[in-house]
């Protein structure tokens, strides 16, 4: 009957509209996963197999991203096992502190996050070293040096530090990552040797 034919045509049009919406949604997801600058199949390619192709591409990209994330997690684990790591915002306020930083400084993560690194500053260095450090990293360059810090309990500890500015697309620092190695025993040995001489 004509009513059944009209209903079938309406359902078919609704299915086509829904399929096209799904295809466009998949294209947007794919474009986002590919960084927004990659070519995706054109809107005129609305055949069902293209939905399957787009779904397969998205699955492959998600799997690749998951593999990359796993590798980054492993690198972070290795770094955290070896080094004292912290991240600060552009004002120098700590946004991340790893367990080794907490252990050596005697502060909890909650006590460190939101505070400035001055919380561990000792009186062993002139203000000029901190000024030079800040000027270096604020200009987008990496700073290397040795610093004596003071733990929460008052004991001093030495670190060999590398501070790396993380830059935006315009080369402007957005945050800083500090990677430090505990060299306290080395410094104590050097001091003992100097005294014995």
């Amino acid at each position: 009957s004509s009513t059944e034919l009209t209903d079938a045509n309406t359902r078919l049009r609704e299915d086509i509209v829904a399929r096209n919406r799904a295809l466009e949604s998949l294209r947007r997801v794919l474009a986002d996963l590919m960084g927004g600058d990659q070519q995706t199949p054109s809107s005129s390619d609305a055949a069902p197999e293209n939905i399957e192709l787009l779904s397969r591409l998205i699955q492959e990209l998600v799997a690749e991203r998951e593999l990359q994330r796993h590798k980054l997690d492993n690198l972070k684990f290795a770094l955290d096992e070896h080094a004292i790591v912290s991240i600060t915002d552009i004002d120098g306020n700590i946004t991340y502190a790893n367990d080794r930083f907490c252990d050596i400084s005697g502060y909890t993560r909650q006590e460190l996050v939101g505070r400035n690194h001055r919380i561990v500053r000792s009186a062993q260095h002139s203000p000029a070293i901190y000024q030079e450090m800040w000027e270096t990293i604020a200009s987008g360059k990496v700073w290397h040096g040795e610093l004596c810090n003071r733990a929460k309990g008052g004991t001093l500890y030495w670190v060999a530090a590398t501070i790396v500015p993380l830059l935006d697309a315009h080369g402007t620092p957005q945050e800083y990552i500090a990677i430090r190695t505990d060299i306290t025993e080395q410094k104590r040995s050097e001091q003992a040797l100097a005294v014995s001489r």
Side-chain angles (χ1 to χ4, degrees), residues 167-185:
L167 310 176
D168 66 11
H170 306 290
T172 305
Q174 296 301 297
E175 56 186 353
Y176 305 102
I177 182 165
I179 302 168
R180 301 172 299 274
T181 303
D182 182 3
I183 58 168
T184 306
E185 288 307 314

Side-chain angles (χ1 to χ4, degrees), residues 58-100:
I58 289 169
Q59 287 174 337
E60 289 170 9
L61 282 171
V62 167
E64 183 181 320
R65 291 273 171 96
E66 183 62 25
L67 180 62
Q68 290 172 350
R69 188 193 61 74
H70 182 67
K71 286 179 180 178
L72 283 174
D73 286 346
N74 286 339
L75 288 172
K76 180 186 175 299
F77 174 75
L79 182 64
D80 282 341
E81 285 299 306
H82 171 76
I84 302 156
V85 180
S86 62
I87 299 174
T88 66
D89 61 21
I90 57 170
D91 297 320
N93 298 312
I94 300 167
T95 58
Y96 170 79
N98 75 345
D99 290 341
R100 290 184 63 86

Side-chain angles (χ1 to χ4, degrees), residues 10 18 22 24 33 70-71 124 130 133 143 150-151 160 169 171 192 194-195:
T10 301
E24 283 307 311
L33 285 171
H70 182 67
K71 286 179 180 178
Q124 303 296 308
Y130 299 107
M133 175 200 308
W143 183 87
R150 183 177 304 280
V195 167

Side-chain angles (χ1 to χ4, degrees), residues 152-164:
K152 185 178 182 180
T155 59
L156 298 178
Y157 64 95
W158 282 86
V159 293
T162 299
I163 304 174
V164 180

Side-chain angles (χ1 to χ4, degrees), residues 1 6 47-48 57 70 78 87 92 102 109 130 177 184 191 197:
S1 80
T6 302
L57 285 171
H70 182 67
I87 299 174
C102 295
R109 191 168 283 106
Y130 299 107
I177 182 165
T184 306
Q191 289 169 351
R197 287 182 181 159

